[in-house]
Amino acid sequence: MAARLRGTLNLAADKSIAHRALLFSAMGSGTAEVEIREPGADVLSMAAAMEQLGAATRLEERDGALRFRITGGATATHAALPGDAPATLDCGNSGTMMRLLMGAATTRAGATTLIGDESLSARPMERVAGPLRASGAELSTTEGHAPVTISPTAIAACQHNLPVSSAQIVGALTLAALPASGTTTITTPGPTRDHTERMLAWLGVDIRREGNTTTLTGPANWQNKDIAVPADPSGAAFWLVAGAIHPDAEIVMPNVGLNPTRIGVIRILERMGAKVESVATGSRGPEPAGDLVIHSGQRLNAIHLEADDVADVIDELPILAIAMAAAEGTSTVRGAHELRVKESDRIDLMVRGLAQLGYDVVEHEDGWDITGRPVDLGAADPHAPTIRTEGDHRIAMAFAIANLSGVGACEVDDPDCAAVSYPSFFEHLASLT
Ligand code: S3P
């Protein structure tokens, strides 16, 4: 609990964009530099894998950002990951890395095995492997999970109708289809973030996402270009909620990625009554970026989120649950089944944690109901509960914000797991108080 929150935070780079910048550069032609501010453990896993394949070299840090020089493995005709020797790549905790690589690795000349930590090894991989096999890929999962082994295969251009709206699966299928001649279409039941399509189009590939369909015409090849990855809007979301619910806050965040498929959290906080200032500044790369400022305002109102709202805030729902706990009335979330198969079962952990803080909260298979109460910045509670995170970075950061901004005094059992996406989260938290 802090009486006042003030400061300017230079956030860690967006991991969705950083993963793609590293991986796509390793598949293109020629050499370019990728600049990533304070990469978290997930992005460092991708960087290490690209170093292992001989594509990336780590350069010195400049202005707080790590730089990588990357030379792609493209053939004369199409994009490809380099290396003809078998390789085992460790994806750590990162579902995005494993799923994108399941598609990208089909373009290597050698076999690739993907492994991950305990949490990642429990996450579903057949949702990617199945559609990849349908287009001709040869790959095997371990009873639907990692380790996954991918053989080099030529994929045919084809039409996919996916049962799940997942940018990771769309990305995997797109990368596998890059060498294929002809048109590949990938349709999802709902919206997904479009970083793959934006970055490939910016590199010159004939690709677009219109509505819920991605259309790619291959074979695709490109000349690599330098990219500076903007700050993570999912990291910004923690401070947007802290500032919106704390009675005395002003927090500035420069150069945050403002891709419309990622800033649903701003739209939802505004619907709840928060005032977020956003000034577009542009960026070195395919993505829009700008500066964000949040000031405290009136108490937030409750909100009802349905499946259509959920896609743009799938990673922000844990921290939005904290905003709901501070809002006036009962907020509801439905259509968020996917939260059960993220780094943890996020519905279960958010509902349990808020119940430990004394909130009236109801669990649903696909969401929750949370009845809010006013924040209380009173004295520290010596009996504050310890919240279970199961090593999930977003759960740890969400409850750290609950403690900071008077939603409920608590500790988290594994604060270090924040480093998966946001290594300096707790330093930033301390700097605001
Ligand atoms: C991501 C897509 C989302 C998101 C994840 C990153 C990406 O997953 O939850 O943190 O970079 O493509 P799904 O696409 O599976 O919903």
Side-chain angles (χ1 to χ4, degrees):
M1 278 158 285
R4 198 167 176 266
L5 302 179
R6 288 283 184 287
T8 297
L9 302 176
N10 284 305
L11 308 177
D14 182 75
K15 75 184 169 79
S16 284
I17 302 171
H19 276 310
R20 288 165 171 83
L22 291 165
L23 177 60
F24 299 1
S25 303
M27 300 180 77
S29 296
T31 300
E33 280 185 20
V34 175
E35 192 176 296
I36 306 175
R37 183 177 185 84
E38 206 197 333
D42 275 6
V43 173
L44 288 174
S45 296
M46 180 66 96
M50 296 307 105
E51 286 177 288
Q52 192 183 328
L53 294 182
T57 313
R58 193 166 158 161
L59 307 174
E60 83 284 6
E61 203 172 310
R62 192 169 59 198
D63 301 332
L66 267 185
R67 288 180 308 128
F68 296 88
R69 176 170 298 139
I70 307 190
T71 302
T75 68
T77 53
H78 59 78
L81 267 184
D84 49 15
T88 298
L89 305 178
D90 187 350
C91 304
N93 190 244
S94 176
T96 308
M97 175 176 172
M98 183 167 284
R99 292 180 178 137
L100 292 179
L101 272 169
M102 284 171 72
T106 60
T107 67
R108 282 191 76 227
T112 312
T113 299
L114 304 173
I115 58 171
D117 69 8
E118 197 185 335
S119 146
L120 180 54
S121 303
R123 296 179 67 185
M125 293 300 151
E126 272 303 320
R127 50 169 57 195
V128 197
L132 279 169
R133 277 190 210 104
S135 55
E138 274 175 46
L139 73 173
S140 61
T141 64
T142 309
E143 293 175 10
H145 301 282
V148 180
T149 298
I150 304 111
S151 306
T153 25
I155 304 283
C158 71
Q159 274 65 57
H160 297 278
N161 263 305
L162 298 178
V164 199
S165 295
S166 163
Q168 298 176 351
I169 308 179
V170 174
L173 294 170
T174 302
L175 297 177
L178 291 170
S181 297
T183 300
T184 293
T185 60
I186 308 158
T187 302
T188 51
T192 62
R193 60 188 67 187
D194 63 356
H195 301 302
T196 295
E197 295 83 347
R198 274 179 192 256
M199 195 175 289
L200 289 176
W202 177 78
L203 287 165
V205 174
D206 181 357
I207 185 170
R208 58 187 184 277
R209 182 138 179 105
E210 283 169 335
N212 299 331
T213 298
T214 295
T215 307
L216 162 76
T217 305
N221 203 353
W222 62 83
Q223 196 61 37
N224 282 331
K225 296 192 211 172
D226 294 347
I227 302 178
V229 179
D232 184 6
S234 301
F238 296 102
W239 311 115
L240 292 176
V241 170
I245 63 182
H246 192 286
D248 185 3
E250 183 176 303
I251 306 170
V252 180
M253 292 164 279
N255 189 35
V256 180
L258 296 179
N259 179 315
T261 65
R262 293 292 302 288
I263 53 172
V265 63
I266 298 180
R267 293 190 289 270
I268 287 168
L269 285 172
E270 285 174 341
R271 276 164 62 193
M272 296 175 84
K275 291 198 173 39
V276 183
E277 280 173 44
S278 139
V279 182
T281 52
S283 75
R284 277 190 292 136
E287 296 275 347
D291 300 339
L292 295 179
V293 186
I294 179 82
H295 308 267
S296 7
Q298 299 299 311
R299 187 171 173 207
L300 298 179
N301 307 309
I303 191 154
H304 303 286
L305 302 181
E306 302 289 340
D308 279 355
D309 303 302
V310 157
D312 290 349
V313 286
I314 193 72
D315 292 341
E316 287 66 66
L317 285 169
I319 187 61
L320 280 171
I322 302 302
M324 292 172 185
E328 171 121 44
T330 300
S331 296
T332 59
V333 172
R334 296 290 184 279
H337 301 94
E338 280 295 299
L339 283 190
R340 296 217 180 257
V341 289
K342 292 294 179 188
E343 286 85 328
S344 68
D345 178 343
R346 289 181 172 160
I347 294 180
D348 176 51
L349 291 184
M350 288 313 300
V351 165
R352 275 174 201 246
L354 285 170
Q356 273 183 279
L357 298 182
Y359 283 86
D360 178 1
V361 42
V362 180
E363 178 168 358
H364 294 269
E365 184 45 37
D366 61 343
W368 53 59
D369 305 340
I370 298 170
T371 302
R373 65 177 188 230
V375 297
D376 175 7
L377 293 172
D381 175 358
H383 306 295
T386 299
I387 305 291
R388 204 168 98 207
T389 61
E390 290 183 8
D392 185 328
H393 55 133
R394 298 202 197 281
I395 303 291
M397 292 188 277
F399 281 100
I401 296 294
N403 181 61
L404 176 77
S405 47
V407 164
C410 61
E411 291 182 353
V412 293
D413 64 0
D414 182 10
D416 292 348
C417 69
V420 160
S421 61
Y422 192 167
S424 60
F425 174 81
F426 284 99
E427 280 164 44
H428 282 177
L429 188 152
S431 78
L432 289 177
T433 62

